[in-house]
Amino acid sequence: MQNNTTRGFLWSDVETRTLLAIWGEQDIQVALDGHFRNSFVYRDVARRLAATGFERTPEQCRVRIKSLKRQFLLAKEGNIRNNGQYHKICKFYDAMENILSNRPVLDPQEFMDSGTGGDDTADCLEEEGEEPHDPYSENMGDFHRPAETEVKLEYPAVPIPIPIKVTVGNNGSSVRPHPSSQPTSTLTSSTLSPGTLTSSRPKRPKKRRANFPLEKLMEQFLEQSAQAEEGFYRVEEQRLQAEDRRREAEHARELQTLQMLGQMFSSISSAHPPSAASSHRTEPPAPPRAFPRRSASPSGPRGPATHLRRTPPHPTADWPPQQSQQLPSDPQALGMDEETLSLVKTIVPALTSKKHKGQDGRIGIIGGCQEYTGAPYFAAISALKVGADLSHVFCTREAAIVIKSYSPELIVHPVLDSPNALEEIDKWLPRLHSLVLGPGLGRDEALLRTAKEVIEKSKARDIPIIIDADGLWLVAQQPSVIQGYQKAILTPNFMEFTRLYEALHQEPLDGGDRLRSVLQLSGALGNVTVLLKGEQDLISDGRRVLTCSLRGSGRRCGGQGDLLSGSLGALAHWAFSATPQSRSVSPALLAAFGACALTKQCNSQAFQAHGRATTTSDMIQEIGPAFRKLFES
């Protein structure tokens, strides 16, 4: 049975009567009367009590006996005053009477000074020669204790006056009685004890705290909060600046490494001239439209079109040249990217306070159904992040609330599946600068029919059209809907490109020569710009091919194509509105190249921060830093 360490707590009647029976034994009473220190007596009582099945410590037994004595004395004093009716408060009155009747008369005041009883009352004064509670006595058990030398303290019989303090009201003021009106109490050494001195000592006045108004405390709190927030933003800004500097340094190191590789390849090619057999190879026929050639000297000056790869309109047995099979390691591709990016920078409009809302682009997104709500959102928010002023999403009624909940910046029109969808969209077309058709459109026949009619209306208004995702399915089924429209840009991935190629050529695609295939598909569509997405993006307008060889990452998550098409919508508006800086590169090619480079840069930066967990939402957060790095640095 586990010991109860609480002092005299929860004693049952049976346990109390057993304790009284042991305490009332003759040898226990004799030991208590004959010794000043009696802790060993209560250890004996506790052992005898444990033998009966009740585990209590010596201190608990002592406190319980002391409490019973208090109750007995109160009852006995009450019997004298109330004709014997007061003994009912003490349940064990008779047992205590039988035990204490043979002992010397006890002074009731000795127990009344320390409280009126209760098992939880703690008293530090000795009773009947009992020693104070020793915290180590309970754990000593039956171990032998060395003999102790008793020390007797004597106090001089000098009367000590104790003033009586009367407290009036709640303000803590005190009134001292006049000496003549009330006698002064005195304590001699016979009645003086440490407990008496402690109880008679006047209490210290409580310290008054400064009474600050609540408004001042709230003002201080808000001021500290503002300072903490300002410090946080300052540290965060420093961290972002350090991250930008680190990325720029890394980019500079990559460029330096690539330049060194280019010089190595140039020295190798100059050390090994082409063989005689290859020098007599028949050149492919010249294209009908002339464009500048690259300088014959490797170190000679390059014109504005030196970044273009010369391609004939019709493939031959000797075309494309052998170098096209090694596009990833082509040292000249890096120079092409830099030169093309410099041309893309010329179409980016400057930010001035003289412009009005909507002047930098109002982009329309045609797409969004019950199953696909993320794609139109990614396209629309990407257009805004690139720099367009307004993004309109024309979607079905079921998708409108979901898309609107993604961002309050989008203008959502739930009209795509309405009976008068064409009329609702047509009244907005004069306000739009470009159109992105296909993200989240679905393949419902009614929606595809509406999309086809919207393309016809946009062509009539000479609006640039970017077709992606399910819009490419519509073009594969009906190529004539976009045939020959020079302001159209198709953005297929490899699977969508294969479907388009086989629909127009009625033959399987040769996947080993993608450069030749993208050139053929663009020519078959009437020189419509085609952007084939992949590890290296290939862009062709039927006359030439641009290659975007900027590095992205190995992470391919859903929604990257929507980011590309949305940013391409804004860049297409800028390209077709800007003054041409080069006659050899069409605005559609520049816009497509800029969108490819931006998407790859966003992918690379997001992957550096998130690794395998990168999502399109992470890439969208990188549009601003990536745009500044590519086109504004």
Side-chain angles (χ1 to χ4, degrees):
M1 181 180 296
Q2 185 177 1
N3 290 344
N4 188 356
T5 58
T6 308
R7 297 182 62 188
F9 184 69
L10 294 179
W11 285 73
S12 64
D13 293 347
V14 177
E15 193 175 5
T16 303
R17 294 185 187 278
T18 305
L19 175 65
L20 289 175
I22 297 173
W23 181 68
E25 294 180 1
Q26 186 65 27
D27 57 338
I28 297 296
Q29 294 297 318
V30 172
L32 290 174
D33 292 339
H35 294 83
F36 179 74
R37 295 185 177 275
N38 50 25
S39 59
F40 69 95
V41 178
Y42 281 101
R43 285 199 293 271
D44 188 21
V45 172
R47 282 195 297 270
R48 297 185 187 185
L49 186 63
T52 62
F54 301 104
E55 294 286 343
R56 292 285 180 173
T57 64
E59 178 65 16
Q60 291 175 339
C61 296
R62 189 188 72 81
V63 172
R64 181 58 173 164
I65 292 296
K66 189 172 183 178
S67 175
L68 292 173
K69 287 181 183 179
R70 292 195 194 98
Q71 297 178 18
F72 171 73
L73 292 175
L74 285 174
K76 189 171 183 178
E77 185 178 359
N79 286 336
I80 297 174
R81 298 178 182 177
N82 297 284
N83 299 325
Q85 298 298 324
Y86 204 74
H87 72 279
K88 297 180 181 180
I89 68 171
C90 183
K91 185 185 297 185
F92 307 101
Y93 183 86
D94 297 334
M96 295 291 295
E97 177 70 22
N98 293 333
I99 297 172
L100 298 178
S101 61
N102 298 325
R103 298 186 61 183
V105 180
L106 301 175
D107 184 9
Q109 190 63 30
E110 180 182 356
F111 302 98
M112 298 301 293
D113 290 343
S114 58
T116 58
D119 292 344
D120 57 346
T121 305
D123 195 348
C124 297
L125 299 179
E126 294 185 358
E127 170 195 291
E128 297 183 355
E130 300 175 7
E131 62 180 1
H133 171 59
D134 185 3
Y136 299 97
S137 63
E138 299 180 7
N139 300 326
M140 294 296 292
D142 296 333
F143 291 101
H144 175 70
R145 297 180 59 183
E148 299 176 357
T149 303
E150 298 182 0
V151 178
K152 185 176 181 180
L153 301 178
E154 296 183 357
Y155 299 93
V158 179
I160 302 176
I162 299 179
I164 300 176
K165 182 179 180 180
V166 180
T167 303
V168 180
N170 298 327
N171 55 0
S173 62
S174 61
V175 179
R176 297 182 180 272
H178 197 272
S180 62
S181 62
Q182 184 173 354
T184 303
S185 301
T186 61
L187 293 178
T188 63
S189 61
S190 60
T191 61
L192 185 62
S193 65
T196 307
L197 291 175
T198 304
S199 61
S200 62
R201 183 179 301 169
K203 296 182 179 180
R204 290 183 179 180
K206 295 183 178 179
K207 294 183 179 181
R208 295 181 178 270
R209 298 184 179 274
N211 187 17
F212 292 104
L214 182 60
E215 293 79 4
K216 179 178 289 187
L217 293 176
M218 184 59 68
E219 183 180 355
Q220 294 178 356
F221 173 74
L222 293 177
E223 183 178 356
Q224 294 175 359
S225 300
Q227 293 176 356
E229 185 176 2
E230 183 180 357
F232 170 78
Y233 285 126
R234 183 167 56 251
V235 173
E236 185 67 15
E237 184 178 0
Q238 294 175 358
R239 186 189 68 81
L240 293 176
Q241 291 176 357
E243 184 70 15
D244 291 340
R245 289 193 296 269
R246 184 188 65 80
R247 290 174 179 171
E248 292 176 359
E250 183 178 356
H251 183 63
R253 287 195 300 270
E254 291 178 356
L255 290 179
Q256 185 178 4
T257 303
L258 294 174
Q259 289 175 0
M260 293 174 60
L261 290 176
Q263 294 175 0
M264 291 173 58
F265 281 116
S266 300
S267 61
I268 292 174
S269 60
S270 61
H272 300 280
S275 61
S278 60
S279 62
H280 295 287
R281 179 177 297 174
T282 306
E283 272 196 31
R289 296 188 182 182
F291 53 92
R293 292 176 175 267
R294 184 175 296 155
S295 175
S297 173
S299 59
R302 287 187 279 185
T306 57
H307 60 286
L308 300 177
R309 185 184 301 277
R310 180 180 180 183
T311 56
H314 303 289
T316 63
D318 295 330
W319 185 264
Q322 190 67 23
Q323 298 91 312
S324 64
Q325 300 297 332
Q326 300 177 354
L327 289 176
S329 61
D330 187 357
Q332 297 174 351
L334 302 173
M336 296 178 189
D337 289 345
E338 294 296 330
E339 293 176 7
T340 311
L341 284 175
S342 63
L343 291 177
V344 176
K345 292 179 182 180
T346 62
I347 68 172
V348 177
L351 296 176
T352 64
S353 58
K354 298 180 180 180
K355 293 184 179 180
H356 57 79
K357 181 178 65 177
Q359 189 171 348
D360 279 343
R362 295 185 291 269
I363 314 302
I365 312 296
I366 307 295
C369 58
Q370 184 176 5
E371 294 82 3
Y372 306 109
T373 58
Y377 162 73
F378 286 142
I381 200 68
S382 299
L384 289 178
K385 292 280 187 178
V386 167
D389 292 338
L390 298 172
S391 281
H392 296 259
V393 179
F394 300 88
C395 60
T396 62
R397 187 174 300 275
E398 294 83 356
I401 298 178
V402 180
I403 298 174
K404 187 65 177 177
S405 66
Y406 291 153
S407 175
E409 285 88 359
L410 307 182
I411 305 172
V412 183
H413 307 271
V415 300
L416 194 56
D417 56 347
S418 62
N420 58 339
L422 183 62
E423 290 77 8
E424 292 292 335
I425 298 175
D426 184 49
K427 68 182 182 182
W428 284 95
L429 288 180
R431 310 182 189 183
L432 301 180
H433 293 126
S434 65
L435 203 66
V436 180
L437 188 142
L441 179 63
R443 297 181 182 178
D444 182 77
E445 291 295 335
L447 297 182
L448 292 176
R449 187 166 50 252
T450 301
K452 178 183 177 182
E453 295 172 348
V454 170
I455 292 175
E456 297 294 343
K457 293 286 186 179
S458 302
K459 289 165 57 179
R461 296 183 180 276
D462 201 32
I463 298 175
I465 306 174
I466 291 85
I467 301 180
D468 186 32
D470 294 320
L472 297 172
W473 171 269
L474 173 63
V475 175
Q477 303 299 319
Q478 304 179 42
S480 60
V481 71
I482 205 69
Q483 185 83 24
Y485 187 57
Q486 299 300 305
K487 287 190 177 182
I489 304 175
L490 309 184
T491 60
N493 56 28
F494 184 72
M495 295 301 297
E496 295 164 341
F497 181 83
T498 302
R499 188 185 303 117
L500 286 170
Y501 185 91
E502 294 177 353
L504 270 74
H505 292 83
Q506 302 297 323
E507 63 180 10
L509 172 66
D510 181 12
D513 191 359
R514 297 190 180 184
L515 188 144
R516 176 180 178 181
S517 300
V518 70
L519 189 69
Q520 289 178 340
L521 179 60
S522 177
L525 287 171
N527 293 339
V528 171
T529 302
V530 177
L531 190 164
L532 174 56
K533 297 177 287 189
E535 181 181 1
Q536 286 190 322
D537 297 333
L538 302 178
I539 313 164
S540 175
D541 60 354
R543 293 179 290 271
R544 58 191 59 82
V545 177
L546 291 181
T547 302
C548 181
S549 57
L550 294 180
R551 296 177 58 187
S553 74
R555 178 67 170 135
R556 293 291 182 269
C557 53
Q560 297 186 50
D562 304 312
L563 188 155
L564 185 145
S565 61
S567 58
L568 181 54
L571 290 170
H573 162 59
W574 296 345
F576 284 106
S577 302
T579 303
Q581 300 294 324
S582 173
R583 297 181 180 180
S584 59
V585 186
S586 67
L589 285 175
L590 285 180
F593 186 91
C596 291
L598 179 64
T599 304
K600 287 182 177 293
Q601 185 66 29
C602 291
N603 183 267
S604 176
Q605 294 180 186
F607 186 79
Q608 291 178 9
H610 303 281
R612 189 177 292 273
T614 302
T615 61
T616 303
S617 299
D618 301 324
M619 294 175 57
I620 289 176
Q621 298 301 321
E622 298 292 335
I623 289 179
F627 191 92
R628 289 194 299 270
K629 182 175 183 179
L630 291 175
F631 308 125
E632 294 180 347
S633 61

